[in-house]
Amino acid sequence: MKIKNYLKYILVSVILISLNISGKVYSQNVDELYEKIDLFSEVLEKIENEYVEEIDQSDVMDAAINGVLQSLDPYSGYMNPEIFKESQEETSGEFGGLGIEVSMEAGVVKVISPIDDTPAARAGVKAGDYIVQIDGEQVQGKTLMEAVNLMRGPVGSPIEITIRRKGLRKAKIIKIIREIIEVKSVVSKQVKNKVGYLRLRAFNENSSKQLKKEISEIEKNKKLIGYILDLRNNPGGLLSQAIKISDFFLHDGEIVSTKGRKSRENKKYFAKIGDKINGKPLIVLINNGSASAAEIVAGALQDQKRAILVGETTYGKGSVQSIIPLRNSGAIRLTVSKYYLPSGKSISEVGVVPDIKVEEEGEEFSINTDTDNQLNYAIKLFVG
């Protein structure tokens, strides 16, 4: 069966089934849908007969599915079985690649955040960068998954990305060597033997356990006067982890709520009685690379007046994606709801605004107390 006929059959079947299930049949809408299907079929026929190279029908099907999902928003998309497997490895805390969280914007790849101590971070990739070329190949016109696949490769192999960055007049070429990315969620230390510093890099399956362990160690210090929770360049991750980690610092109250088209997506999450740092003062560091789950934590602690936020406005990703497995062992990533802070505000497109704005100084992100002006500012709020 030719691809155009096969797709037409599938599309018609899906539409008719959907209309029968809903019990709502509008003849005008059906006619319009048939016209669109005929147009789509015609386009596919032209591609099959006229395109300069022979096409892989399986790839075309994948691209069509992904195109539908990407038209909804930048965060929805199709994952073939290979990519779905890799995404599960990422969530479990270890995966291969460059070490960046990305989305698609204006037809190019936008860096949400580089992950600490990964090839991308060490090479100078920054939150907000736009990747316009990968190994000399234009990103424009590709899907997000296609671009991600171009960035994947054997461990130890080189890759060259061309980026556009706000404030730079010319494109910047960055050379990176691919590595296995081991996401160590938590880094901690004690500053001046008085302030507990907790750097949370991501929200994966192990994050809350690691953070709880580090807090328990720091709490042994009887001279401790407060904590700094560093969420800068944290691209987010699991909603369940954001809720658990917010609960570590709250005695009670709402953490976040989600609202979707389906009533089952409308939920509210509350903190349990108890605060693991025993009410000590808390400062949270944020920047434009703080996204998704990181914004939930920062926003909840700010709204509940539990912490002072220092740094720069966050990324503004206020939606929840559900990973829905498919029969081919792949999956779709679909936006099913948006989340709202305790104040009722959505952070979509606007982010979380810090209480004290401190812009990052210098070209590279750092957590060295000698060069990190944002961290230094937070420390001075505690010790002067």
Side-chain angles (χ1 to χ4, degrees), residues 97-133:
L98 307 183
I100 50 175
E101 180 80 8
V102 295
S103 67
M104 186 66 78
E105 185 175 301
V108 294
V109 174
K110 183 177 182 180
V111 178
I112 296 177
S113 177
I115 301 171
D116 282 358
D117 197 29
T118 61
R122 293 194 295 269
V125 177
K126 300 186 71 174
D129 284 347
Y130 289 93
I131 300 175
V132 295
Q133 289 186 10

Short mmCIF file of all heavy atoms in Angstrom, two decimals, residues 97-133:
data_model
loop_
_atom_site.label_atom_id
_atom_site.label_comp_id
_atom_site.label_asym_id
_atom_site.label_seq_id
_atom_site.Cartn_x
_atom_site.Cartn_y
_atom_site.Cartn_z
N GLY A 97 25.74 11.74 26.17
CA GLY A 97 25.45 12.96 25.43
C GLY A 97 26.35 14.12 25.82
O GLY A 97 27.48 13.94 26.26
N LEU A 98 25.81 15.34 25.67
CA LEU A 98 26.58 16.56 25.94
C LEU A 98 26.31 17.13 27.32
O LEU A 98 27.15 17.82 27.88
CB LEU A 98 26.23 17.63 24.89
CG LEU A 98 26.36 17.23 23.43
CD1 LEU A 98 26.06 18.43 22.53
CD2 LEU A 98 27.72 16.66 23.13
N GLY A 99 25.11 16.85 27.85
CA GLY A 99 24.77 17.38 29.17
C GLY A 99 23.98 18.66 29.11
O GLY A 99 24.24 19.60 29.86
N ILE A 100 22.99 18.73 28.21
CA ILE A 100 22.13 19.91 28.13
C ILE A 100 20.67 19.51 28.07
O ILE A 100 20.33 18.49 27.49
CB ILE A 100 22.47 20.81 26.91
CG1 ILE A 100 22.54 19.99 25.62
CG2 ILE A 100 23.74 21.59 27.14
CD1 ILE A 100 22.75 20.83 24.38
N GLU A 101 19.84 20.31 28.67
CA GLU A 101 18.39 20.18 28.55
C GLU A 101 17.93 21.17 27.50
O GLU A 101 18.29 22.36 27.56
CB GLU A 101 17.72 20.48 29.89
CG GLU A 101 16.22 20.36 29.90
CD GLU A 101 15.72 18.93 30.02
OE1 GLU A 101 16.56 18.03 30.24
OE2 GLU A 101 14.51 18.72 29.90
N VAL A 102 17.18 20.72 26.50
CA VAL A 102 16.83 21.59 25.37
C VAL A 102 15.35 21.57 25.06
O VAL A 102 14.63 20.65 25.45
CB VAL A 102 17.62 21.19 24.10
CG1 VAL A 102 19.11 21.40 24.29
CG2 VAL A 102 17.33 19.74 23.71
N SER A 103 14.91 22.60 24.35
CA SER A 103 13.56 22.65 23.80
C SER A 103 13.67 23.24 22.40
O SER A 103 14.74 23.63 21.96
CB SER A 103 12.64 23.50 24.67
OG SER A 103 13.02 24.87 24.62
N MET A 104 12.56 23.30 21.70
CA MET A 104 12.55 23.88 20.36
C MET A 104 11.84 25.23 20.40
O MET A 104 10.77 25.36 20.99
CB MET A 104 11.83 22.94 19.38
CG MET A 104 11.89 23.39 17.94
SD MET A 104 13.55 23.37 17.24
CE MET A 104 13.76 21.61 16.90
N GLU A 105 12.46 26.24 19.81
CA GLU A 105 11.86 27.57 19.76
C GLU A 105 12.22 28.23 18.44
O GLU A 105 13.39 28.29 18.07
CB GLU A 105 12.35 28.43 20.94
CG GLU A 105 11.68 29.78 21.03
CD GLU A 105 12.09 30.57 22.26
OE1 GLU A 105 11.88 30.06 23.39
OE2 GLU A 105 12.64 31.66 22.10
N ALA A 106 11.22 28.73 17.75
CA ALA A 106 11.42 29.42 16.47
C ALA A 106 12.21 28.58 15.48
O ALA A 106 13.00 29.10 14.69
CB ALA A 106 12.11 30.76 16.70
N GLY A 107 12.01 27.27 15.52
CA GLY A 107 12.64 26.38 14.55
C GLY A 107 14.07 25.99 14.85
O GLY A 107 14.69 25.26 14.08
N VAL A 108 14.61 26.45 15.97
CA VAL A 108 15.96 26.06 16.37
C VAL A 108 15.93 25.52 17.81
O VAL A 108 14.96 25.70 18.54
CB VAL A 108 16.97 27.23 16.27
CG1 VAL A 108 17.16 27.65 14.83
CG2 VAL A 108 16.52 28.41 17.11
N VAL A 109 17.03 24.87 18.18
CA VAL A 109 17.12 24.28 19.51
C VAL A 109 17.54 25.35 20.51
O VAL A 109 18.53 26.06 20.31
CB VAL A 109 18.13 23.12 19.52
CG1 VAL A 109 18.34 22.61 20.94
CG2 VAL A 109 17.66 22.00 18.62
N LYS A 110 16.78 25.48 21.59
CA LYS A 110 17.12 26.43 22.64
C LYS A 110 17.59 25.67 23.87
O LYS A 110 16.95 24.71 24.29
CB LYS A 110 15.92 27.31 23.01
CG LYS A 110 16.25 28.38 24.06
CD LYS A 110 15.07 29.27 24.34
CE LYS A 110 15.44 30.36 25.34
NZ LYS A 110 14.29 31.26 25.62
N VAL A 111 18.69 26.10 24.44
CA VAL A 111 19.23 25.47 25.64
C VAL A 111 18.45 25.96 26.85
O VAL A 111 18.47 27.16 27.16
CB VAL A 111 20.74 25.78 25.81
CG1 VAL A 111 21.26 25.16 27.10
CG2 VAL A 111 21.53 25.26 24.61
N ILE A 112 17.76 25.05 27.51
CA ILE A 112 17.10 25.41 28.78
C ILE A 112 18.17 25.56 29.85
O ILE A 112 18.22 26.55 30.57
CB ILE A 112 16.08 24.33 29.20
CG1 ILE A 112 14.94 24.26 28.17
CG2 ILE A 112 15.52 24.63 30.58
CD1 ILE A 112 13.93 23.18 28.46
N SER A 113 19.05 24.56 29.91
CA SER A 113 20.13 24.64 30.89
C SER A 113 21.19 23.59 30.60
O SER A 113 20.86 22.46 30.25
CB SER A 113 19.57 24.42 32.31
OG SER A 113 20.61 24.44 33.26
N PRO A 114 22.47 23.97 30.76
CA PRO A 114 23.52 22.94 30.78
C PRO A 114 23.57 22.32 32.16
O PRO A 114 23.31 22.99 33.16
CB PRO A 114 24.80 23.74 30.48
CG PRO A 114 24.51 25.11 31.01
CD PRO A 114 23.02 25.32 30.87
N ILE A 115 23.88 21.05 32.25
CA ILE A 115 24.00 20.36 33.54
C ILE A 115 25.42 20.53 34.05
O ILE A 115 26.39 20.44 33.30
CB ILE A 115 23.64 18.87 33.39
CG1 ILE A 115 22.22 18.72 32.86
CG2 ILE A 115 23.80 18.13 34.71
CD1 ILE A 115 21.84 17.31 32.47
N ASP A 116 25.54 20.82 35.34
CA ASP A 116 26.85 21.05 35.95
C ASP A 116 27.84 19.94 35.62
O ASP A 116 27.50 18.76 35.60
CB ASP A 116 26.72 21.13 37.48
CG ASP A 116 26.17 22.47 37.93
OD1 ASP A 116 25.93 23.34 37.07
OD2 ASP A 116 25.97 22.63 39.14
N ASP A 117 29.08 20.33 35.43
CA ASP A 117 30.20 19.41 35.27
C ASP A 117 29.95 18.39 34.17
O ASP A 117 30.25 17.21 34.32
CB ASP A 117 30.50 18.70 36.60
CG ASP A 117 31.90 18.05 36.60
OD1 ASP A 117 32.78 18.57 35.89
OD2 ASP A 117 32.08 17.03 37.28
N THR A 118 29.41 18.85 33.06
CA THR A 118 29.23 18.01 31.87
C THR A 118 30.01 18.66 30.73
O THR A 118 30.43 19.82 30.83
CB THR A 118 27.75 17.90 31.48
OG1 THR A 118 27.24 19.21 31.19
CG2 THR A 118 26.94 17.25 32.60
N PRO A 119 30.22 17.95 29.63
CA PRO A 119 30.98 18.53 28.52
C PRO A 119 30.44 19.88 28.05
O PRO A 119 31.21 20.81 27.79
CB PRO A 119 30.85 17.47 27.43
CG PRO A 119 30.66 16.19 28.16
CD PRO A 119 29.86 16.53 29.37
N ALA A 120 29.12 20.01 27.96
CA ALA A 120 28.53 21.27 27.49
C ALA A 120 28.81 22.41 28.45
O ALA A 120 29.17 23.52 28.04
CB ALA A 120 27.03 21.10 27.29
N ALA A 121 28.63 22.15 29.75
CA ALA A 121 28.87 23.19 30.76
C ALA A 121 30.33 23.62 30.76
O ALA A 121 30.65 24.81 30.82
CB ALA A 121 28.45 22.68 32.14
N ARG A 122 31.24 22.65 30.68
CA ARG A 122 32.67 22.98 30.69
C ARG A 122 33.10 23.71 29.44
O ARG A 122 34.04 24.51 29.47
CB ARG A 122 33.50 21.70 30.86
CG ARG A 122 33.33 21.03 32.22
CD ARG A 122 34.42 19.99 32.45
NE ARG A 122 34.31 18.87 31.52
CZ ARG A 122 33.62 17.76 31.74
NH1 ARG A 122 32.94 17.62 32.87
NH2 ARG A 122 33.58 16.79 30.84
N ALA A 123 32.38 23.46 28.33
CA ALA A 123 32.73 24.12 27.07
C ALA A 123 32.17 25.54 26.98
O ALA A 123 32.50 26.28 26.05
CB ALA A 123 32.24 23.29 25.89
N GLY A 124 31.31 25.90 27.92
CA GLY A 124 30.79 27.26 27.94
C GLY A 124 29.40 27.44 27.39
O GLY A 124 28.95 28.58 27.18
N VAL A 125 28.66 26.37 27.15
CA VAL A 125 27.26 26.48 26.72
C VAL A 125 26.45 27.07 27.88
O VAL A 125 26.63 26.68 29.03
CB VAL A 125 26.69 25.11 26.31
CG1 VAL A 125 25.20 25.24 25.95
CG2 VAL A 125 27.47 24.54 25.14
N LYS A 126 25.55 28.02 27.57
CA LYS A 126 24.80 28.70 28.62
C LYS A 126 23.30 28.59 28.39
O LYS A 126 22.83 28.39 27.25
CB LYS A 126 25.20 30.18 28.66
CG LYS A 126 26.67 30.42 28.95
CD LYS A 126 26.97 31.89 29.12
CE LYS A 126 26.41 32.41 30.43
NZ LYS A 126 26.82 33.82 30.68
N ALA A 127 22.55 28.72 29.47
CA ALA A 127 21.09 28.75 29.37
C ALA A 127 20.69 29.91 28.46
O ALA A 127 21.22 31.01 28.56
CB ALA A 127 20.48 28.94 30.75
N GLY A 128 19.74 29.65 27.55
CA GLY A 128 19.28 30.67 26.64
C GLY A 128 19.98 30.67 25.29
O GLY A 128 19.54 31.36 24.36
N ASP A 129 21.07 29.91 25.16
CA ASP A 129 21.75 29.80 23.87
C ASP A 129 20.84 29.13 22.85
O ASP A 129 20.06 28.23 23.18
CB ASP A 129 23.03 28.97 24.00
CG ASP A 129 24.17 29.72 24.66
OD1 ASP A 129 24.06 30.95 24.80
OD2 ASP A 129 25.17 29.08 25.03
N TYR A 130 20.96 29.54 21.59
CA TYR A 130 20.24 28.90 20.50
C TYR A 130 21.24 28.12 19.65
O TYR A 130 22.23 28.69 19.17
CB TYR A 130 19.53 29.93 19.62
CG TYR A 130 18.35 30.59 20.30
CD1 TYR A 130 18.50 31.78 21.00
CD2 TYR A 130 17.08 30.01 20.25
CE1 TYR A 130 17.42 32.38 21.63
CE2 TYR A 130 16.00 30.59 20.87
CZ TYR A 130 16.17 31.78 21.56
OH TYR A 130 15.09 32.37 22.19
N ILE A 131 21.00 26.83 19.48
CA ILE A 131 21.87 25.99 18.65
C ILE A 131 21.33 26.03 17.22
O ILE A 131 20.24 25.53 16.94
CB ILE A 131 21.92 24.55 19.18
CG1 ILE A 131 22.46 24.53 20.62
CG2 ILE A 131 22.80 23.69 18.28
CD1 ILE A 131 22.43 23.17 21.28
N VAL A 132 22.10 26.63 16.32
CA VAL A 132 21.63 26.82 14.95
C VAL A 132 22.25 25.83 13.96
O VAL A 132 21.69 25.59 12.89
CB VAL A 132 21.88 28.27 14.48
CG1 VAL A 132 21.05 29.25 15.31
CG2 VAL A 132 23.36 28.64 14.57
N GLN A 133 23.40 25.28 14.33
CA GLN A 133 24.04 24.27 13.49
C GLN A 133 24.65 23.19 14.37
O GLN A 133 25.12 23.47 15.47
CB GLN A 133 25.13 24.87 12.60
CG GLN A 133 24.63 25.74 11.48
CD GLN A 133 25.78 26.19 10.56
OE1 GLN A 133 26.89 25.71 10.66
NE2 GLN A 133 25.48 27.11 9.67
#
